[in-house]
Amino acid sequence: MKLLRLAIFSLAITALAQNEVATNAAKTSKPANSPKPKAKAKASVAPAKNPLENESKGPIITEIYADEASFDSGKNTGIFTGHVKVFDPRFNLQSDKLTVYLHKGGDQGLEKAIAEGNVGVVRDRPDPNGGPPTHAVGRSEHAVYTATDGSVELTGTPKVQQGPNMHIATSAQTVMVINQDGHLDTHGPSRTEIRQEPKEEKPGSSSATPSPSPKP
């Protein structure tokens, strides 16, 4: 009889313990339909802007380096001499002397620039297919940049290299104009050199014609 009572008492304690554990687990466990924690948002990075595209909203800054400089506020002009270098979003230029003309009134932006002596100008032409730009490198003894249309006029036996091709003036009177979009217009006699690199041969192929075998 004692054994039967002990067995019933043990079963009751075991059932009570299991019920308490199940109750505590129900309290601590999260509901099945509880909202999931929100995932972290990925930071979106804006695509890099084309450096050749001028900012329509922001100012265009032109930097000029030279050994000496003088300014005339009455005429809105500046003269730079000695190792002149110009860095502008629209072009780069170097020369022995540079005279700049600024707009009068409230707008003091660049109106025109005249370069003299050992002139070198670099202008990039964007690729419409999104590839690398085509460099136009011009050299002459005199150059005029006009801000209204963005053109660079080269005189004094100019020559312009566009990619692998070279355009060379054959007369001192020839004028070459590099437009804002990188196109070149030549007015006067000139010579054009079109360079084409040889095609690479595939490995194992030989373009040489085999010599005929000697007769016995």
Side-chain angles (χ1 to χ4, degrees), residues 93-95 113-121 137-146 151-160 167-178 184-189:
L93 182 144
Q94 66 180 25
S95 62
I114 300 176
E116 301 173 74
N118 298 314
V119 178
V121 59
V137 181
R139 299 188 180 279
S140 63
E141 288 299 319
H142 189 271
V144 178
Y145 169 76
T146 306
S151 64
V152 179
E153 182 182 273
L154 304 175
T155 56
T157 316
K159 59 181 179 180
V160 176
H167 309 275
I168 304 171
T170 57
S171 171
Q173 307 302 321
T174 300
V175 178
M176 294 186 180
V177 179
I178 305 176
L184 173 66
D185 293 328
T186 302
H187 307 281

Side-chain angles (χ1 to χ4, degrees), residues 12-214:
I13 292 177
T14 304
L16 181 63
Q18 291 177 352
N19 188 23
E20 185 177 358
V21 170
T23 304
N24 292 335
K27 290 181 180 180
T28 56
S29 63
K30 294 182 180 179
N33 58 351
S34 60
K36 296 181 180 180
K38 295 182 179 180
K40 294 183 180 180
K42 293 183 180 180
S44 59
V45 181
K49 296 182 179 180
N50 189 343
L52 302 178
E53 294 179 356
N54 295 330
E55 291 288 347
S56 58
K57 296 181 180 179
I60 297 177
I61 300 176
T62 304
E63 295 182 337
I64 303 174
Y65 296 84
D67 294 339
E68 297 181 0
S70 62
F71 301 91
D72 189 335
S73 57
K75 297 181 180 180
N76 283 358
T77 60
I79 299 176
F80 305 85
T81 56
H83 303 92
V84 180
K85 293 183 179 180
V86 180
F87 298 96
D88 187 282
R90 298 157 293 188
F91 66 95
N92 290 338
L93 182 144
Q94 66 180 25
S95 62
D96 296 335
K97 179 181 178 181
L98 179 71
T99 304
V100 297
Y101 299 85
L102 305 179
H103 290 288
K104 297 181 179 180
D107 183 10
Q108 292 287 316
L110 180 63
E111 178 181 5
K112 183 172 65 173
I114 300 176
E116 301 173 74
N118 298 314
V119 178
V121 59
V122 177
R123 168 159 275 176
D124 291 328
R125 176 182 178 182
D127 186 352
N129 299 323
T134 301
H135 289 282
V137 181
R139 299 188 180 279
S140 63
E141 288 299 319
H142 189 271
V144 178
Y145 169 76
T146 306
T148 53
D149 58 2
S151 64
V152 179
E153 182 182 273
L154 304 175
T155 56
T157 316
K159 59 181 179 180
V160 176
Q161 180 176 359
Q162 289 184 315
N165 304 328
M166 180 74 74
H167 309 275
I168 304 171
T170 57
S171 171
Q173 307 302 321
T174 300
V175 178
M176 294 186 180
V177 179
I178 305 176
N179 297 327
Q180 189 170 5
D181 57 0
H183 285 90
L184 173 66
D185 293 328
T186 302
H187 307 281
S190 64
R191 184 179 81 253
T192 300
E193 298 177 357
I194 300 176
R195 181 186 299 269
Q196 184 175 2
E197 298 295 336
K199 295 181 179 180
E200 297 182 359
E201 295 182 359
K202 295 182 180 179
S205 63
S206 177
S207 58
T209 303
S211 58
S213 57

